[in-house]
Amino acid sequence: MAMSVFLNFLFPPPPSLFVTAMSVITVVSLAKAGFNEVKGEHLNYSKFWNVNNAIAKKQMKKLSSRNGMLLLYTPAFLAGAASFLVFPNESFRSIILQGAVTVHFFKRLFEVLFVHKYSGSMALDSAIPITLSYFISSATIIYAQHLTLEFPEPPIDLLYPGIVLFLVGIIGNFYHHYLLSKLRGKGEKEYKIPKGGLFGYVICPHYLFEIIEFYGFSFISQTLYGFSFALGTTFYLLGRSYATRRWYLSKFEDFPKNVKAIIPFFF
């Protein structure tokens, strides 16, 4: 019964072993990464870039944070942009999805170049899997959508709610990244307790809006892979936000205890 209701929201599964396998691999791997964050086994970027032990730090190959983030997002952006050439005769839904993916990673590159202020480095052995994850996921969600071209539309259409979620997510994410950038003056590198926007309720509102954005992708696509990608992203960012809140509690005695990790008043 529950499965039949769920299928009202999805295109039929495509005849692709690759997409089916990736639907499972994506959610499992991202959930595992989120659980590792809770355990203290972090991907080495942002405030967790140097959490390895002393021996590992000496052996670690590093990129500047700016170059590392350019590496993370550029292949995924190119995958989104190139999809308009690779799949030129798509449905309206597919074009919207391709545009949303491309705009999302263009925005991230814009922030890397013109918004973010940097204080550390990024470990190459963390940058490479993240880059591959973004690239493969972006290409797969677009390819999975392409495979629905001959299928009938799902009984319940989530395209326009998905567009709204995407816009709310991308605007909210950008706004809170902008607030974070304003915490540091010229030449400053130390971390401060964020303020403004939803920072008075959660320490990672930018993650919350990113989750909203990714559910926008899934509503636009209405494919199994789209929902798998959104669910996996949710698991990872829940774990990363939990670790981030724990980090702030350990660094700032005056960090307000009522500020949650990612979901206001709850988590």
Side-chain angles (χ1 to χ4, degrees):
M1 177 64 179
M3 181 59 68
S4 63
V5 172
F6 184 63
L7 291 175
N8 286 329
F9 296 93
L10 296 177
F11 283 97
S16 169
L17 181 60
F18 170 76
V19 173
T20 301
M22 286 304 300
S23 298
V24 176
I25 291 170
T26 296
V27 70
V28 171
S29 60
L30 287 172
K32 183 178 183 299
F35 182 62
N36 286 344
E37 293 287 339
V38 173
K39 292 194 301 178
E41 300 172 8
H42 306 294
L43 288 171
N44 299 122
Y45 66 93
S46 186
K47 58 185 61 63
F48 298 111
W49 78 269
N50 61 347
V51 295
N52 294 305
N53 61 48
I55 296 176
K57 285 181 186 178
K58 291 181 180 179
Q59 298 174 341
M60 182 171 59
K61 294 182 179 180
K62 297 180 292 185
L63 300 169
S64 70
S65 290
R66 186 173 185 270
N67 288 341
M69 293 181 77
L70 286 173
L71 174 64
L72 298 190
Y73 303 124
T74 300
F77 166 71
L78 293 176
S83 70
F84 289 99
L85 298 175
V86 176
F87 304 124
N89 300 308
E90 295 295 279
S91 66
F92 176 69
R93 183 188 295 273
S94 293
I95 293 170
I96 294 296
L97 179 66
Q98 291 167 268
V101 171
T102 306
V103 168
H104 168 76
F105 287 105
F106 175 81
K107 185 212 65 139
R108 296 300 287 124
L109 290 171
F110 177 85
E111 291 171 336
V112 170
L113 293 172
F114 303 111
V115 177
H116 293 321
K117 295 179 181 176
Y118 305 100
S119 62
S121 301
M122 181 181 296
L124 183 61
D125 62 359
S126 289
I128 290 173
I130 297 172
T131 300
L132 290 173
S133 175
Y134 280 140
F135 173 75
I136 294 171
S137 296
S138 299
T140 303
I141 195 171
I142 291 171
Y143 177 59
Q145 198 67 47
H146 169 72
L147 294 179
T148 68
L149 199 58
E150 303 300 324
F151 292 164
E153 288 282 319
I156 299 175
D157 186 0
L158 298 178
L159 173 60
Y160 291 102
I163 293 173
V164 172
L165 286 177
F166 170 74
L167 292 174
V168 169
I170 198 169
I171 291 169
N173 179 264
F174 177 81
Y175 173 64
H176 287 91
H177 280 162
Y178 173 78
L179 292 179
L180 285 172
S181 74
K182 293 302 177 184
L183 288 175
R184 292 174 180 157
K186 187 176 181 179
E188 291 183 335
K189 292 189 175 183
E190 70 275 8
Y191 279 93
K192 301 176 183 179
I193 299 174
K195 300 185 185 302
L198 292 184
F199 282 113
Y201 300 93
V202 294
I203 197 60
C204 295
H206 47 307
Y207 288 171
L208 173 61
F209 282 103
E210 188 162 0
I211 289 172
I212 292 171
E213 192 179 352
F214 275 74
Y215 278 100
F217 289 149
S218 70
F219 277 34
I220 292 169
S221 69
Q222 292 190 240
T223 60
L224 179 61
Y225 183 80
F227 280 95
S228 173
F229 188 25
L231 185 61
T233 300
T234 301
F235 286 138
Y236 174 68
L237 292 180
L238 285 173
R240 186 77 176 187
S241 65
Y242 177 87
T244 299
R245 182 177 185 273
R246 185 171 58 197
W247 184 90
Y248 274 99
L249 285 168
S250 71
K251 297 295 182 182
F252 297 95
E253 293 183 358
D254 58 340
F255 183 81
K257 303 298 189 294
N258 63 303
V259 173
K260 300 298 184 182
I262 192 169
I263 303 174
F265 311 111
F266 180 66
F267 176 82

